[in-house]
Amino acid sequence: MNSLIRLEITRALRNKKFLFFSVVYPSALFLLIAGSADETTKVDGTGLTLPTFFMVSMASFGALTAVLMGNSERIAKERESGWVRQLRLTTLPGRGYVLAKTASAAVISLPSIVVVFAVAAAVKHVRLDAWQWLALTGAIWAGSLVFAALGVAVGYLASGDAVRPITMILYFGLSVLGGLWMPTTTFPDWLQKIASWLPTHAYAALGRSIELGDAPHAKDLAILAVSFLLFAGGAAWLYRKDTLKA
């Protein structure tokens, strides 16, 4: 399994298009949204300035891009090319394949997080304590495992032709409704209630709690834990189902 993880990381790092959208694109969006913003004005209902608020949003968005977009399309293509069928002839168990895909995607998400933080600190002068930087990096990186598992599940759920539109709907839907592109406080009340139960909302809320110096809310941790179990379990089930068809 370790060899497969190394292979997946190497393949992703060689994909310049993937690196652009997972590393450069979130930082560019951060500068576009927060570039001209006042560094002291706070986002309503959050207690955070606009740069600190969107720093977490774009770091989370970058990690989501790396693990969801990268995993789903790559797996669907591997199924069509016969690569997954070849792996089944090895001693690698099904759970090892799912875990390898999830872990390698999460590792690749780390650069997108760090680059957004670096840009926010250098351009918008975001200042946090050392423990907050470390905790933010760890929380957003660990939280990306949830969406890495979702990417694996989608890769087995959809064919090569259908995987991209399905992934894009999930990608933008979770990003927008989860409050990664705009504060959910700007939503109507009924939509805010829906958004509060989405894993992307809970994901970004972890980082914002750390920025405020607070402990994460139990509800957010529970949503992420349940989501990971559902996505990972679904990915494993779809993998076994796909194996039976082969």
Side-chain angles (χ1 to χ4, degrees), residues 138-222:
I140 296 176
W141 177 80
S144 69
L145 291 169
V146 175
F147 306 100
L150 176 60
V152 176
V154 173
Y156 273 99
L157 179 66
S159 64
D161 293 331
V163 68
R164 176 163 291 188
I166 292 174
T167 303
M168 294 299 286
I169 290 171
L170 288 171
Y171 174 61
F172 286 110
L174 288 171
S175 297
V176 175
L177 295 178
L180 301 187
W181 283 17
M182 64 189 74
T184 56
T185 52
T186 63
F187 295 174
D189 289 341
W190 64 270
L191 191 55
Q192 289 186 42
K193 293 178 181 178
I194 295 174
S196 68
W197 290 98
L198 293 178
T200 37
H201 183 276
Y203 184 35
L206 290 183
R208 291 171 188 146
S209 295
I210 293 171
E211 286 183 318
L212 292 168
D214 299 332
H217 292 109
K219 176 183 174 181
D220 295 325
L221 293 174

Side-chain angles (χ1 to χ4, degrees), residues 28-116:
L29 279 179
F30 171 80
L31 291 176
L32 181 65
I33 296 171
S36 60
D38 187 341
E39 297 175 10
T40 59
T41 302
K42 294 185 177 181
V43 178
D44 291 341
T46 66
L48 296 170
T49 63
L50 194 146
T52 55
F53 180 91
F54 278 105
M55 181 183 75
V56 165
S57 293
M58 290 300 106
S60 302
F61 177 68
L64 176 67
T65 303
V67 299
L68 179 57
M69 298 294 289
N71 252 355
S72 59
E73 294 191 26
R74 193 178 303 118
I75 290 172
K77 290 178 181 178
E78 288 175 356
R79 290 171 59 211
E80 289 192 340
S81 68
W83 170 245
V84 175
R85 191 177 301 111
Q86 291 295 320
L87 285 177
R88 293 194 189 109
L89 300 177
T90 69
T91 57
L92 181 70
R95 65 180 181 279
Y97 177 83
V98 173
L99 289 174
K101 286 290 187 181
T102 302
S104 59
V107 171
I108 296 166
S109 71
L110 189 59
S112 63
I113 299 168
V114 173
V115 170
V116 171

